[in-house]
Amino acid sequence: MPYLRRASKAINVANRIHRLHSDHYYRLGLPYSGSNEHGFCSNSRNSNRKDDNNAIDLSQYPTDKIRNFSIIAHVDHGKSTLADRLLELTGTIKRGHGVPQYLDKLQVERERGITVKAQTATMFYNYNLKENNTNYLLNLIDTPGHVDFSYEVSRSLAACQGALLVVDAAQGVQAQTVANFYLAFESNLTIIPVVNKIDQPTADPERVKTQLKSMFDLDPSDVLLTSAKTGLGLEHVLPAVIERIPPPPGKSDSNLRMFLLDSYYDEYKGVICHVAIVDGSLRKGDKISSVATGQSYEVLDVGIMHPELRSTGYLLTGQVGYVVSGMRSTKEARVGDTLFHTRTTVEPLPGFKPAKHMVFSGLYPADGSDFEALSHAIERLTCNDASVSVARESSTALGLGFRCGFLGLLHMDVFHQRLEQEHGTHIISTVPTVPYIFEYSDGSKVEVQNPGAFTSDPKIRVVASWEPTVLATIIIPSEYVGVVINLCSERRGEQLEYSFIDSQRVFMKYRLPLREIVVDFYNELKSITSGYASFDYEDSEYVASDVVKLDILLNGQPVDAMATIVHKLKAQRVGRELVDKLKKYIDRQMFEITIQAAIGSKVIARETISAMRKNVLAKCYGGDVTRKKKLLEKQKEGKKRMKRVGSVDIPQEAFHAILKVS
């Protein structure tokens, strides 16, 4: 019996090793047909993989049989659910696969219920056109809906010729619907309007059609009515894509030109690039070069996302897929780059507008010894999110860290969460700031992203300052107009446009200082409108403004990581809120702690945390009062010395708390 138990245990270990090998080969996109020494057959998903790869013949799909399209919409209007149904309809994934929002692969996406990364999936669809059964290759790109990730949307649209504009049948046109429509319109894409969730009790498709006509001049007869949840009306979506969206305009007989759309880092393959073949063709083993860096690579693997990586050995004109070329540094994969065959001459593709960073924040390791680990994690993550800017900086209070630029506050929050979840780092983030421009008395003009870089030389004074503004689009029910106007006025907003979409909904456009919206504007807007408001913004010009640097001092020493730049009229209130917050989160210590908010040398707010004290009079049972005074004076002198040499411990919660102070 002991022998049988040992034999059984050995077989289990062998099976486990076998599964690990097969999973490793599966992630590499290679077939694994090995069997263990006991004759157990290999994992079926890997043993069939080679046959699946050979079954895909991309040469059957010339450009006139290819359609590249994206799904764009406001947050929570059903983009990812619609993508699921289309994948099921074409047999790309099995029905009832048990994973809702299949293309939302990040943990942060599933926890928050939002799409953060645009994801591509190739589908094959047999369509009966004019009594002829024709196979089509459809490249679907599911895009984010939140304003902070509009850069992902704009990159995705560069690989498309059309877009499905999805609108909720109950909520109607929202702010991000407007923004995404104009992104697609400016890219000259064919737009197919889709009214989703028509199965809801509150759905009113006719009202939404009227809104689409009045806002975007879209013909109501072109609108598709669907319910992605129940599958109602979905049979009309893909035929509309084939009939209305034009094929890719590339030339198959030209030299290779391909867009680098996105990239991410894989532990086994290195940098995996998502590309769109604009002209020519690409095959495994080809030598390719980058216009941006001038470096050359050999194509180690090439294929499509179906919806996982599926190696095909080649990509043809108009097709979207992935390329593994041995890139090891994230700096080599520049989003928007043009890749071409080495030793050929091509005209570079126009690329993308560079991401404009709206919010800047410092990132520091919670433990100073973890700096290298944080640096490695940020490098890996920026390969997957090219819209983040990173520069090293140092802080007196927090040590070595990074100054990072983000597209918005949610973008910053998601980046922090991914650092912690995917890479196991523990970080401290500083107060988010926006870039200001200052003109000094010596005639110099400087853009300041970090309040710590604000000049402290008393001989050089600020002559003028400018702050960035945004054009905000707000769509609300008409009964909330008054409270929203008050909110925008409090945030120094200037009304530019006011109109009715229909009898119940109002469209408002404001110019607002970016500093006023990056922290809690959206939360407050949702609160005062009972969650019915939708909000979107785009960057605008810099305007003259009277701003000052607000320092936080602990026992007279400035904490550079807590410094911020605020408007002069709000400095008093913000300073008071900051010191009140810090008093709650900083623990009492053996010496007195003075917390101050100051503008230059002028203190505008102060709080004191009293010291923990030992009762030195406990041993005195009487006697001369001078004995008690002597003991108290001795204790007082000791506290003064401790205050001079002691350092104040600032908990991580204190940094998170002051993020919520506008």
Side-chain angles (χ1 to χ4, degrees), residues 605-618:
R606 172 184 170 130
E607 287 289 346
T608 302
I609 301 175
S610 59
M612 292 188 291
R613 298 181 61 179
K614 178 183 176 182
N615 186 4
V616 294
L617 302 181

Side-chain angles (χ1 to χ4, degrees), residues 187-480:
S187 301
N188 296 318
L189 302 189
T190 300
I191 298 172
I192 301 175
V194 179
V195 176
N196 193 28
K197 303 185 182 181
I198 60 172
D199 59 311
Q200 291 186 344
T202 56
D204 190 353
E206 295 305 316
R207 178 175 64 87
V208 178
K209 285 183 180 181
T210 305
Q211 292 177 2
L212 291 170
K213 174 65 177 174
S214 63
M215 294 289 292
F216 311 129
D217 197 27
L218 294 174
D219 191 341
S221 63
D222 292 337
V223 176
L224 304 179
L225 302 180
T226 66
S227 169
K229 183 178 180 181
T230 64
L232 183 63
L234 292 184
E235 66 275 9
H236 303 299
V237 175
L238 292 181
V241 167
I242 292 171
E243 293 174 8
R244 300 189 203 177
I245 295 177
K251 300 176 181 177
S252 57
D253 56 350
S254 296
N255 290 331
L256 171 69
R257 289 196 304 169
M258 60 181 177
F259 250 140
L260 177 52
L261 299 172
D262 199 1
S263 63
Y264 67 93
Y265 190 84
D266 182 88
E267 291 293 338
Y268 301 99
K269 294 186 177 184
V271 178
I272 296 179
C273 300
H274 288 189
V275 297
I277 308 295
V278 178
D279 295 315
S281 61
L282 177 72
R283 296 184 181 276
K284 184 176 179 179
D286 286 357
K287 301 283 188 180
I288 58 173
S289 298
S290 161
V291 168
T293 65
Q295 296 190 43
S296 297
Y297 310 93
E298 180 180 350
V299 177
L300 305 176
D301 189 20
V302 59
I304 59 175
M305 284 75 76
H306 186 58
E308 308 301 331
L309 301 186
R310 181 67 62 88
S311 180
T312 60
Y314 61 96
L315 286 174
L316 305 177
T317 305
Q319 296 172 358
V320 177
Y322 73 91
V323 174
V324 179
S325 58
M327 291 183 184
R328 290 296 171 185
S329 169
T330 57
K331 297 176 182 177
E332 297 176 53
R334 298 188 184 179
V335 172
D337 190 10
T338 301
L339 301 175
F340 61 98
H341 277 141
T342 305
R343 296 180 180 174
T344 62
T345 303
V346 297
E347 182 71 24
L349 297 163
F352 309 116
K353 292 180 181 178
K356 189 161 186 178
H357 302 105
M358 310 285 277
V359 179
F360 292 85
S361 175
L363 293 184
Y364 298 87
D367 183 345
S369 62
D370 293 337
F371 175 75
E372 289 301 326
L374 177 61
S375 174
H376 183 75
I378 289 178
E379 183 181 358
R380 290 286 181 262
L381 198 51
T382 50
C383 176
N384 190 238
D385 188 352
S387 54
V388 179
S389 70
V390 180
R392 289 196 178 194
E393 70 172 9
S394 61
S395 163
T396 306
L398 301 175
L400 289 174
F402 299 90
R403 170 68 43 172
C404 299
F406 304 96
L407 304 181
L409 204 67
L410 177 64
H411 184 209
M412 182 183 80
D413 195 24
V414 166
F415 189 83
H416 292 174
Q417 188 172 341
R418 292 185 66 189
L419 276 177
E420 293 179 354
Q421 288 181 345
E422 298 175 24
H423 300 277
T425 58
H426 298 284
I427 59 173
I428 293 175
S429 57
T430 64
V431 183
T433 61
V434 300
Y436 295 89
I437 296 176
F438 291 96
E439 183 179 352
Y440 297 112
S441 55
D442 61 356
S444 61
K445 272 189 179 182
V446 179
E447 181 179 274
V448 175
Q449 300 168 355
N450 181 2
F454 195 95
T455 182
S456 56
D457 189 346
K459 297 180 181 179
I460 302 177
R461 59 186 179 86
V462 175
V463 177
S465 55
W466 294 265
E467 66 176 337
T469 62
V470 297
L471 295 178
T473 300
I474 303 172
I475 297 178
I476 52 172
S478 54
E479 61 264 30
Y480 296 109

Side-chain angles (χ1 to χ4, degrees), residues 32-71:
Y32 180 73
S33 56
S35 60
N36 59 35
E37 60 186 353
H38 300 279
F40 292 99
C41 62
S42 62
N43 193 320
S44 61
R45 71 180 180 183
N46 299 304
S47 60
N48 294 330
R49 192 167 180 79
K50 187 173 183 180
D51 295 336
D52 289 343
N53 291 341
N54 292 336
I56 299 176
D57 183 7
L58 297 182
S59 62
Q60 296 181 12
Y61 303 96
T63 53
D64 63 326
K65 299 294 186 296
I66 298 174
R67 300 292 185 270
N68 299 322
F69 69 100
S70 181
I71 303 179

Side-chain angles (χ1 to χ4, degrees), residues 74-77 145-147 170-178 472-485 487-488 501 504-508 510 512 520-537:
H74 188 78
V75 179
D76 200 31
H77 278 204
H146 194 278
V147 56
Q171 297 182 24
V173 173
Q174 303 281 289
Q176 193 65 22
T177 312
V178 179
T473 300
I474 303 172
I475 297 178
I476 52 172
S478 54
E479 61 264 30
Y480 296 109
V481 168
V483 290
V484 171
I485 289 177
L487 173 64
C488 293
I501 299 176
Q504 300 174 345
R505 297 167 65 77
V506 175
F507 175 89
M508 303 170 73
Y510 270 86
L512 287 160
D520 65 345
F521 178 83
Y522 184 65
N523 291 339
E524 194 166 342
L525 177 66
K526 281 288 187 181
S527 176
I528 63 176
T529 59
S530 304
Y532 287 111
S534 67
F535 174 70
D536 178 51
Y537 64 86

